Amino acid sequence: MKEWIEYPDGWIWLGQVLLAIAVVIGVVYVLRLGWRAASAFLATRPALDRPLGLTGGVIAVVGALLPWVTFRLNDGPYPDKATLQFFDAPFALSGFRLHTLVLGVLAIVVLFLPLPRRRVLRALGLGAIGIALVNILFPVIDGGGLGAITSDGENFAFGGIATLVAGLLLLFAAKTGGVLEPVPHWKSAVPRLVAYAVLVISFVVLLLVVAMMLNAGGQGGVGNPYAGPIFLSLLAFLAGVLGALQAIGLTTWISALSDQHKWFSVVVLLLVALGLPFTEAGTDYWMTTAANIGVYAATAIGLNIVVGLAGLLDLGYVAFLGIGAFVAANFSGAAAAAFDIELPFVVAAIIAAVVAGIFGAVVGSPTLRVRGDYLAIVTLAFGEIFKKAAQNNIGDLTGGANAIPNVPPINWFGQSFDKPLTIGSVELPSGVLYYVLIIVLVALVMVVFANLKNSRIGRAWIAIREDEDAARAMGIKTGQAKILAFLIGATLAGLAGAVFAHKTSTVAYDSFQFIESVTLLAAVILGGMGSIPGAVLGAALLLVLPEKLREFSDYRLMLFGLALVLIMRFRPQGLVPDRHRRAELADEGADGVPIEELNVHDTPGDEKAVTR
Amino acid sequence: MSAPPVLAANSVSMVFGGLTALSNVSLRLQEGQILGLIGPNGAGKTTFFNCLTGLYSPTTGNVQLRGKVLPTDPAAVTVAGVARTFQNIRLFPSMTSLENVLVGRHARMKQGPLASLFHGPAYQRGERDARDRALELLEFVGLGKAHDELARNLPYGDQRRLEIARALATDPKVLLLDEPTAGMNPQETEATRQLIFAIRETGVAVVVIEHDTKFIFSLCDHVSVLVQGQLLVEGTPEVVRADPRVIEAYLGKPPDEVEAEVRQYAEEVAHGGPEATQVIQPVRDQDGHEGGKR
């Protein structure tokens, strides 16, 4: 990749950065003004929705069929069939151009259906803009110059720009009349079999989408040098489609159904997760990554008890994962272990969980007298104490800088967990058994979380989070409840740590640093505090996104940070918010519109019926 | 009054630094009684409530429930049987009405962490009973239909009633209501009055703090007047209402009367009368002690 900023020392660089910031602020400001003027204009013209939507849809379709890039980039053709000419092979579209086509066609179709079309158009428009931006910016920056996406004298390529315009038109269409339609409320009382069928189909589709995402553009930059942009562009497409489904009330309906048939959903979800190795994502690489995600997801759900339910900010939580890992490693029979015994994994895992739980309670007790910021500092200090202690090999338990290497893999019934598994004629990749183990672990942790949340204890935690004094006035012994939250959260982390020790085979202090605690916290907040699917999704995003963005090497963390900032700005309640948090933080609509400007429909049980 | 009181405050004093918020306040609440506590802003009513519920530990004196001294821990006081509502509503805003009341059941439920984890049959039974009781209480305060509504979305008056239901869920012997009708319109105030009568019918003794004297006099069996941290007058509503000191403390003196006193004072000074010093000391409510809420 070409570097668009060379890194000279000092002032030049600083000047460039400041200039770039100034330009971005200026552009955003001008765009904002334009957008406001357009919204005001369109608010009084509700009849423009169809013409604008139709134009936008048609332009998106045309944009999909136009060439997008004028030449081949250095690392190979970008994107797939980038220079495909107008209509010379309309059915050969693939990748993001196919996605653009789909968005365009959907936009046209929805105009003629009895659906809340403005909401749908808004989602589709945002998706199209996302696709266009990713695939415009990448060739411009990587291939050099605007010529790449317009014309270089011989060839022309206006696909990206056409799609961008189409996306804007769709957004404008959504602005006509100034009011979005309410999200329709689907009847959730359906026959059991229908509900089951819907749930199975949704979860299988979910599985396929996940597999598609993991495989977009190859694995970890090996398959395709453009894996990064391809992945981002796919995300934009999926976000657009998901937004449209949400706009017509489908996702709300499905989640209502899955709430109704909780146990069925859990079982199906478990089976579907176990089906992942059989899809195209069933490779060594993704099994390992998915297992890593699983460990973090289980830990994040544990943290969710402390932070999401009880409202206690814990900045040193990864220490409990570390304690679990070191305990398990020491009982694993590894050469460097402090104890010369090899306990069966299950026994070692239970010991690890118990020890971590005890530490959780110990850390929890002095924190009873501190609240808020002070609590965060105390937990931060604990995390650092743990790291330093492990680094200095206190009590010869951690191996210090040498770590504890060569922790043997789990071995059940003669099958080592790090070897491929052959069932009949099907050979599954190595790492698949760890994946299965961790899926089961995550399922277990989910059940623990869900049961606690809907119990006397869980209600006490939420009450403490909401108003500690009122909780005490209700007879809740807040001290005990808080220690219990720390204890259970730490126990779950310890359990995950035991799996982690065997899976990674080396347990070193530097796997448990402050940044890991922050990542876990980010997973919880990003996914939606107090929500289980949220924690899993958050953990998945935080681990998959950096993998997928390897392409952008130097800018990877910057993009990642930017993504977090944007999500928090536009969706503070998290991606899959818990019902409580949604109510609390939905004061600002998805567009950041203050609550006073929103006209909330007064229908009980339908918090989503918000229009502007 | 020969019957032993259900709640007794014995010479409760509360000193914050150099400020004496309460001095030697005593109070006796009989079984089945509705007791009103009135007084101007800053008189120490809420401080007194906080002493009764264990939020503050009194500098001297103690509080007894049926002859037993109450601990100074809010949770333990609630377990012992004294429940309260707050002057500024303190519900759990993002829980539903039902969940709020279920939190109130906390102290009366037995399930420990393990039961909460495994949801066994005994747990399920306990949870079902708690739900039934909570729904019953919501019905009782007139929120039966709103059980699935988030507390934050309830209208103001309903939030006050939900707070009462939540307090009742702790199975109290004594219920302390801190300004239950603040901000209510006349219809809602009347509904609250009927609700408090109904609560008394269930055998719960009630203490009410209010500013609305008309409300208090039409509700309570017994009224205590707190002024500047001291118990000024107590007795039946008729007695209290007729007491000139109460009128003076609560309303200040009528302007013409004050004027007359000033004139008289001036005359006395002019005539060299030294005993005039005691005359003018109206305790002002609105203009004198504003913002004195604790």
Side-chain angles (χ1 to χ4, degrees), chain B residues 133-156:
Chain B
R133 175 80 180 124
L135 286 171
E136 199 179 295
L137 283 168
L138 282 171
E139 201 67 51
F140 178 71
V141 299
L143 290 174
K145 286 206 182 78
H147 65 88
D148 205 25
E149 205 56 27
L150 292 179
R152 63 164 57 237
N153 294 343
L154 289 177
Y156 184 81

Side-chain angles (χ1 to χ4, degrees), chain A residues 448 451-452 454-457 459-460 462-463 466-467 469-476 484 579-580 583-584 604, chain B residues 74-75 78 86 90 92-96 99 102-104 106 109 111 113 116-117 119 123 127 148-150 152 166:
Chain A
V448 168
N451 273 1
L452 284 176
N454 299 315
S455 74
R456 169 175 176 261
I457 306 286
R459 286 192 296 268
I462 298 174
E466 304 262 298
D467 187 333
D469 290 332
R472 281 204 292 164
M474 290 303 113
I476 294 170
L484 193 64
R579 189 163 97 119
H580 297 134
E584 211 167 302
Chain B
T78 308
F86 293 88
R90 295 182 76 167
F92 306 117
S94 53
M95 296 173 103
T96 63
E99 286 167 335
L102 281 174
V103 171
H106 183 92
M109 294 169 75
Q111 294 105 334
S116 298
L117 204 56
H119 285 205
Y123 170 90
E127 193 77 356
D148 205 25
E149 205 56 27
L150 292 179
R152 63 164 57 237
R166 187 180 68 173

Side-chain angles (χ1 to χ4, degrees), chain A residues 482-545:
Chain A
K482 286 182 185 177
I483 290 188
L484 193 64
F486 269 106
L487 189 149
I488 293 177
T491 307
L492 297 180
L495 205 55
V499 181
F500 177 86
H502 287 275
K503 201 189 73 59
T504 55
S505 94
T506 300
V507 185
Y509 76 92
D510 55 5
S511 306
F512 312 108
Q513 311 222 37
F514 177 58
I515 186 70
E516 263 73 38
S517 287
V518 173
T519 309
L520 283 170
L521 199 60
V524 169
I525 295 170
L526 192 68
M529 276 210 242
S531 133
I532 305 174
V536 176
L537 186 69
L541 268 184
L542 287 176
L543 289 183
V544 172
L545 218 51

Side-chain angles (χ1 to χ4, degrees), chain A residues 329-603:
Chain A
N330 276 317
F331 287 114
S332 69
F339 311 112
D340 195 19
I341 41 170
E342 182 174 354
L343 294 177
F345 170 72
V346 174
V347 178
I350 290 173
I351 296 177
V354 169
V355 172
I358 291 171
F359 271 96
V362 169
V363 175
S365 6
T367 58
L368 294 182
R369 298 205 165 266
V370 290
R371 288 188 191 184
D373 311 352
Y374 307 101
L375 174 64
I377 293 170
V378 170
T379 55
L380 175 67
F382 170 71
E384 287 306 299
I385 291 170
F386 170 77
K387 195 198 92 181
K388 286 288 174 204
Q391 191 175 4
N392 292 322
N393 198 8
I394 300 276
D396 280 334
L397 290 170
T398 67
N402 297 326
I404 301 183
N406 303 323
V407 177
I410 302 174
N411 193 324
W412 281 351
F413 309 113
Q415 169 71 39
S416 174
F417 271 42
D418 63 345
K419 296 280 184 304
L421 175 69
T422 314
I423 305 173
S425 60
V426 186
E427 176 155 343
L428 293 170
S430 60
V432 70
L433 280 174
Y434 277 120
Y435 172 78
V436 171
L437 177 67
I438 283 163
I439 289 293
V440 172
L441 177 75
V442 171
L444 183 80
V445 172
M446 279 181 175
V447 171
V448 168
F449 183 93
N451 273 1
L452 284 176
K453 185 178 169 188
N454 299 315
S455 74
R456 169 175 176 261
I457 306 286
R459 286 192 296 268
W461 284 333
I462 298 174
I464 290 174
R465 183 187 80 196
E466 304 262 298
D467 187 333
E468 191 166 341
D469 290 332
R472 281 204 292 164
M474 290 303 113
I476 294 170
K477 296 193 176 68
T478 52
Q480 285 181 12
K482 286 182 185 177
I483 290 188
L484 193 64
F486 269 106
L487 189 149
I488 293 177
T491 307
L492 297 180
L495 205 55
V499 181
F500 177 86
H502 287 275
K503 201 189 73 59
T504 55
S505 94
T506 300
V507 185
Y509 76 92
D510 55 5
S511 306
F512 312 108
Q513 311 222 37
F514 177 58
I515 186 70
E516 263 73 38
S517 287
V518 173
T519 309
L520 283 170
L521 199 60
V524 169
I525 295 170
L526 192 68
M529 276 210 242
S531 133
I532 305 174
V536 176
L537 186 69
L541 268 184
L542 287 176
L543 289 183
V544 172
L545 218 51
E547 288 294 319
K548 281 296 185 185
L549 296 180
R550 269 182 200 291
E551 184 56 23
F552 302 106
S553 51
D554 296 347
Y555 306 106
R556 178 164 78 144
L557 287 176
M558 195 182 81
L559 281 174
F560 184 57
L562 196 66
L564 290 190
V565 170
L566 287 179
I567 292 174
M568 284 298 100
R569 167 63 184 81
F570 291 107
R571 213 172 157 81
Q573 68 272 43
L575 295 173
V576 194
D578 161 63
R579 189 163 97 119
H580 297 134
R581 303 293 297 189
R582 187 157 63 210
E584 211 167 302
L585 285 163
D587 286 0
E588 283 209 335
D591 296 337
V593 179
I595 192 78
E596 306 89 68
E597 295 177 27
L598 292 168
N599 168 22
V600 181
H601 287 260
D602 221 350
T603 42

Side-chain angles (χ1 to χ4, degrees), chain A residues 217-240:
Chain A
Q219 295 169 5
V222 186
N224 186 320
Y226 304 116
I230 290 175
F231 177 71
L232 286 182
S233 156
L234 178 69
L235 273 191
F237 169 67
L238 290 176

